[in-house]
Amino acid sequence: MSDVLDMRAVGIHLGRGKGRREVLRDVTLRIAPGETLGLIGSSGSGKTTAGRIALGLLRPDSGTATVCGTPYRRSRREHAGKVQAVLQSPQWSFNPRRRLGDSIIEPLGVVDRGLDRMARKERCAALLVQVGLLPVHAERYPHELSGGQRQRAAIARALITEPEFVVFDEAVSALDVAVQQKVLRLIRKLQDTHGFGALFISHDLAAVRVASDRIAVMLAGEIVEQGAPGEVLDHPEHAYTRRLIETL
Ligand SMILES: Nc1ncnc2c1ncn2[C@@H]1O[C@H](COP(=O)(O)OP(=O)(O)OP(=O)(O)O)[C@@H](O)[C@H]1O
Ligand SMILES: [Mg+2]
């Protein structure tokens, strides 16, 4: 099976006019099926930009981004449902006027037209249970849930299409430590069941250590170190990684 993410020598400039600058340079990242790559680095180092390229939301100026064996072309349709994202602050990503169940089944609209409304509802209920919520939560509105519950609902929405690749960008950073640990354990458990590969972006080293099989360290738009969590976090080679570990 091909890698869920195969990013080679990716470079990108962002901004307009005098504000235009190089944000990523020669970034090479690979994620195997079922594997989680943690991406750490200080604020502004380019983590979210790398994630947006992995999601096909930004096009690199140089290099290639191949996801689930297919490079991104003009339309993201080929990747619909195969690639999903869980982002920070799901209170912003859920429509406040829609019941959660409707938001959760929404991604199915683009991939599984054959599935009728009842089957969708059933899949939603099953997934709500898997993420530790209840089927009745489908009837609730986003503001009626706690932050941790909303984050679980966001994970349910990402998994409803049974994706091969999920990008988590600061997905647990807004939660307090106890809830964070629960959600991280949940992500690991769901990965065992669903087998998706993941890019786990976070400035929280404890979270990255729990979530990741491998870790990549980003400094000013470049990857400076990659390896097993124990190697990178406990025996960093690069002086920047050592400083990052001290400051984060
Ligand atoms: N659309 C844009 N136009 C101009 N500059 C941008 C744009 N998006 C990001 N940047 C710049 O690119 C750099 C990397 O931003 P990015 O959001 O990828 O960092 P990050 O590592 O995710 O940071 P954080 O940890 O704060 O989320 C920053 O200097 C940012 O200002
Ligand atoms: Mg970011």
Side-chain angles (χ1 to χ4, degrees), residues 158-174:
L159 297 187
I160 194 100
T161 58
E162 296 178 352
E164 292 169 38
F165 177 46
V166 182
V167 175
F168 294 89
D169 190 352
E170 305 288 0
V172 297
S173 307

Side-chain angles (χ1 to χ4, degrees), residues 7-12 24-28 53 60-65 221:
M7 220 185 222
R8 292 192 198 184
V10 159
I12 192 167
L24 295 181
R25 184 198 304 203
D26 198 23
V27 170
T28 295
I53 290 173
D61 302 331
S62 53
T64 53

Side-chain angles (χ1 to χ4, degrees), residues 11-220:
I12 192 167
H13 291 72
L14 291 174
R16 278 171 222 279
K18 285 192 178 157
R20 190 167 170 83
R21 48 180 292 262
E22 188 176 39
V23 174
L24 295 181
R25 184 198 304 203
D26 198 23
V27 170
T28 295
L29 293 172
R30 284 193 184 181
I31 304 175
E35 184 189 35
T36 297
L37 177 71
L39 182 58
I40 60 173
S42 53
S43 180
S45 56
K47 304 180 299 296
T48 293
T49 305
R52 289 176 61 78
I53 290 173
L55 289 166
L57 299 171
L58 277 177
R59 225 146 273 282
D61 302 331
S62 53
T64 53
T66 304
V67 169
C68 304
T70 317
Y72 282 110
R73 292 185 235 281
R74 201 161 293 160
S75 134
R76 292 169 56 232
R77 190 165 300 168
E78 281 173 81
H79 292 89
K82 287 188 193 168
V83 184
Q84 295 282 18
V86 181
L87 309 175
Q88 194 172 16
S89 311
Q91 57 265 47
W92 308 125
S93 62
F94 282 116
N95 183 337
R97 287 185 203 85
R98 286 186 90 182
R99 292 180 199 275
L100 279 161
D102 291 329
S103 290
I104 289 170
I105 62 171
E106 191 184 2
L108 283 176
V110 275
V111 284
D112 249 327
R113 292 186 191 282
L115 221 55
D116 66 26
R117 176 137 187 100
M118 203 57 217
R120 284 173 196 211
K121 276 192 140 176
E122 274 167 23
R123 203 192 283 194
C124 176
L127 211 45
L128 281 170
V129 172
Q130 282 184 44
V131 300
L133 295 172
L134 298 167
V136 293
H137 284 115
E139 303 305 318
R140 305 257 171 91
Y141 290 93
H143 71 269
E144 295 174 311
L145 267 64
S146 72
Q149 287 175 324
R150 268 197 302 266
Q151 201 59 302
R152 286 160 185 266
I155 295 170
R157 181 173 59 181
L159 297 187
I160 194 100
T161 58
E162 296 178 352
E164 292 169 38
F165 177 46
V166 182
V167 175
F168 294 89
D169 190 352
E170 305 288 0
V172 297
S173 307
L175 305 174
D176 66 48
V177 176
V179 182
Q180 210 179 66
Q181 289 301 317
K182 273 193 198 162
V183 175
L184 287 170
R185 277 199 298 273
L186 169 71
I187 292 171
R188 285 307 247 182
K189 200 175 111 198
L190 291 169
Q191 229 169 348
D192 288 342
T193 342
H194 295 264
F196 55 86
L199 176 62
F200 190 89
I201 299 170
S202 180
H203 63 262
D204 185 328
L205 298 185
V208 169
R209 190 192 286 269
V210 175
S212 313
D213 301 306
R214 244 170 356 106
I215 290 179
V217 183
M218 191 163 251
L219 163 63

